[in-house]
Amino acid sequence: MRVLVTGGGGYVGSVVVAEFVRQGHEVWVVDSLVQGHRDALCGRAELIDGDIGDSQLISGLLRRHSIEAVAHLAAATVVHRSLSEPRLFFEENLIKGLALVHAMLDCGVQRLIFSSTASVFGEPKYVPIDESHPLLPISSYGESKLAFERALAHYHTAYGLRAVMFRYFNAAGALSGIGEDHRPETHAIPAIFKAATGASGPFPIYGTDYATRDGTCIRDYVHVADLANAHLLALERIDHLRFAALNLGSESGISVRELITEAEWVTGLRVPTMDMPRRPGDPSVLVASSALAKERLGWNASRSNPRVILASAWEWFQAHPNGYLK
Ligand code: UDP
C-alpha cells in the first residue's frame, strides 16, 4: 500500500516506517522534526518536514502520491507536561489530528491507523485493563487522545472512515539502528541508563507510596518492534476490521524498582536512585489485556519481555550515547 506516516521521525514512528518498508509498502513521512529525527529514517522513506495541521500540505501529499492509508503517530506525548500545558495537547492531538482527518476525507483516503494511549483509561478500576474498562483519563494528554478517538467513531459511522486505534502501553526497547532519543529525556529506561553511566544525576523514583507491591508505579512495557508489527497487521486487515480500538501491551507489569533491578542485571552497573514525590498525572498501575489484539489481528507481544527490552535499549544507548546527535 501507499502509506503516509505522520510522526515517522519519532521513536515509535520510525520503527513503524522501517517495518512497513521491509514488508514492501511505499511510505512517505510527515514530521515537523520538533521531536522527531531525520536520521531515525535512515533514508527509508521520503521525509516531508511539515505540520499535520497544514491542510494544504497534507491534501497535496495525499493527492500527489495517491496515498491509500495514513498511520498517524505525530503527537505531543509527555503526560506530566500536559497537566500544565493542556492547550498544547488539545492543539496538537485533537485540533491538528482532526485537520489531518478532514484532509483525508476531502481526498477520499479512508484508512487510518491511530496511535492512542493507555492514558485514556486513567487510574485503573481493575487490571489487566481490557477495552471495556471505563475511559476516565487523568491528564489532558489522555483526554486529548480520547476526544480524537471519539471523533473517529462518529466519522466512521457518518463517513465510513476505517480506523484502527491502538492504545499503547509503555513503548520501550530499540532495534539495531533505531532507539529512544527524547529531549529532555523523561522516559524511565533511557533515564535509568543515563543515571547508571553517570550521564545524569541519580535516577529520580517518582513516588514510593503507591498501593503497589513495593510502593512504586507498575507499568507494562511493550517492545517498540511489537508495536510496529501491530501497525503492519492493521494495515493488512483494516478493510476487514473497519473500526477497532485495541490495547497493545505485554500483559505483565513491572514496578519502577523492579525495572531498576533488571537494568542493573542487564548493564552490570549500579543505578544510583533518589526517592521523589509522585509525578502528577501518573496512574499507579497500567497493565494491559491484549486479548482483543490477539484475537482480531493475530498479534503477539513476542519481544515484550523486560530483559529483552532492556538489553536492546542498552545496546542502542551504548552505540548512541548522544542519541541521534553526531
Ligand atoms: N519514572 C520515574 N523516574 C523517571 C522517569 C519515569 O520514576 O525519571 C516512572 C514514572 O513515574 C512511571 C514509569 O517510570 O511510573 C514510566 O514512566 P515513563 O515516563 O517512562 O512512561 P509513562 O508511564 O509516563 O508513559
Side-chain angles (χ1 to χ4, degrees), residues 40-116:
L41 290 170
C42 307
R44 286 183 187 92
E46 185 186 332
L47 170 68
I48 297 96
D49 178 353
D51 195 303
I52 58 157
D54 181 344
S55 302
Q56 267 191 329
L57 171 82
I58 299 294
S59 299
L61 286 171
L62 296 175
R63 291 210 168 93
R64 193 160 53 253
H65 301 299
S66 307
I67 297 294
E68 296 163 281
V70 174
H72 175 36
L73 294 98
T77 57
V78 179
V79 180
H80 59 94
R81 192 176 166 200
S82 80
L83 299 183
S84 56
E85 294 179 67
R87 180 173 170 166
L88 172 76
F89 283 72
F90 284 104
E91 175 79 31
E92 294 296 320
N93 298 349
L94 181 61
I95 297 175
K96 290 187 182 178
L98 289 176
L100 171 76
V101 177
H102 294 171
M104 288 174 62
L105 293 173
D106 290 345
C107 297
V109 180
Q110 292 276 18
R111 299 183 188 96
L112 178 69
I113 302 171
F114 169 56
S115 300
S116 189

Side-chain angles (χ1 to χ4, degrees), residues 98-182:
L98 289 176
L100 171 76
V101 177
H102 294 171
M104 288 174 62
L105 293 173
D106 290 345
C107 297
V109 180
Q110 292 276 18
R111 299 183 188 96
L112 178 69
I113 302 171
F114 169 56
S115 300
S116 189
T117 168
S119 294
V120 296
F121 296 113
E123 188 62 37
K125 306 283 179 221
Y126 58 85
V127 286
I129 299 170
D130 59 17
E131 288 78 0
S132 311
H133 187 283
L135 297 163
L136 298 165
I138 58 171
S139 64
S140 76
Y141 170 63
E143 254 341 320
S144 66
K145 290 276 185 176
L146 180 58
F148 187 69
E149 280 195 15
R150 290 195 158 132
L152 294 182
H154 289 278
Y155 288 22
H156 168 66
T157 308
Y159 311 127
L161 180 76
R162 275 157 261 168
V164 177
M165 307 176 296
F166 284 133
R167 284 134 179 198
Y168 300 169
F169 282 63
N170 282 63
L175 297 186
S176 41
I178 312 176
E180 203 165 353
D181 178 5
H182 300 102

Side-chain angles (χ1 to χ4, degrees), residues 79 170 186-188 191 203-206 217 219 221 256 279 282:
V79 180
N170 282 63
T186 59
H187 289 96
F203 176 76
I205 299 179
Y206 292 130
C217 286
R219 290 289 180 273
Y221 294 89
V256 175
R279 192 172 67 174
D282 276 345

